[in-house]
Amino acid sequence: MFIFNIANPITLILMLAITLILIFLGKETKKGYITSVSLFIYLVLLIWHVSQLLTLTPELFEFKSTLTNCLAIDFTMILLSFLSYLWVDDLESKTGKKKSIDGGLDWFWSKV
């Protein structure tokens, strides 16, 4: 069974760097679809890790802790990617003078 272990520190640092580069590129170009790429990739990884955890055989039960760590990192990166997508989408709508459908991060800042 192939496990894409994103709980490995080197892999985690590389994935975080790539995500931050995509966020920076999305902010500079003011294109929301650039940041949605990382969101889509982390959603695919989440589905991959959940399916591996659900189909774990007793012989490979030692990988359960690794997969649960990967799931925690997946959820964290999805949150980061989603918030950055909303932020860049809000920047894109303000630059293009378009009305944003949901108001971007207004729901988040109104509670703070």
Side-chain angles (χ1 to χ4, degrees):
M1 171 183 259
F2 175 72
I3 296 177
F4 187 61
N5 186 6
I6 61 173
N8 184 2
I10 295 172
T11 308
L12 182 61
I13 290 171
L14 286 174
M15 289 179 65
L16 184 63
I18 291 170
T19 303
L20 291 176
I21 288 171
L22 286 173
I23 292 169
F24 179 74
L25 284 174
K27 181 183 92 67
E28 291 299 316
T29 60
K30 294 177 179 52
K31 302 290 182 194
Y33 65 87
I34 294 175
T35 55
S36 67
V37 170
S38 64
L39 180 62
F40 177 73
I41 289 171
Y42 289 123
L43 285 172
V44 169
L45 279 175
L46 177 72
I47 292 169
W48 178 273
H49 287 136
V50 167
S51 66
Q52 284 183 333
L53 189 63
L54 291 176
T55 60
L56 204 59
T57 60
E59 297 87 31
L60 299 172
F61 201 68
E62 62 196 34
F63 292 118
K64 183 180 179 185
S65 64
T66 303
L67 285 172
T68 54
N69 289 339
C70 290
L71 285 173
I73 292 170
D74 285 338
F75 281 120
T76 305
M77 297 304 274
I78 286 171
L79 177 67
L80 174 73
S81 299
F82 180 68
L83 291 176
S84 66
Y85 170 73
L86 289 177
W87 177 56
V88 172
D89 185 53
D90 189 45
L91 288 175
E92 181 181 2
S93 66
K94 286 179 182 176
T95 303
K97 295 188 181 17
K98 296 184 234 175
K99 181 169 172 53
S100 181
I101 295 172
D102 61 354
L105 289 173
D106 292 341
W107 61 270
F108 181 72
W109 295 115
S110 66
K111 304 290 182 191
V112 175

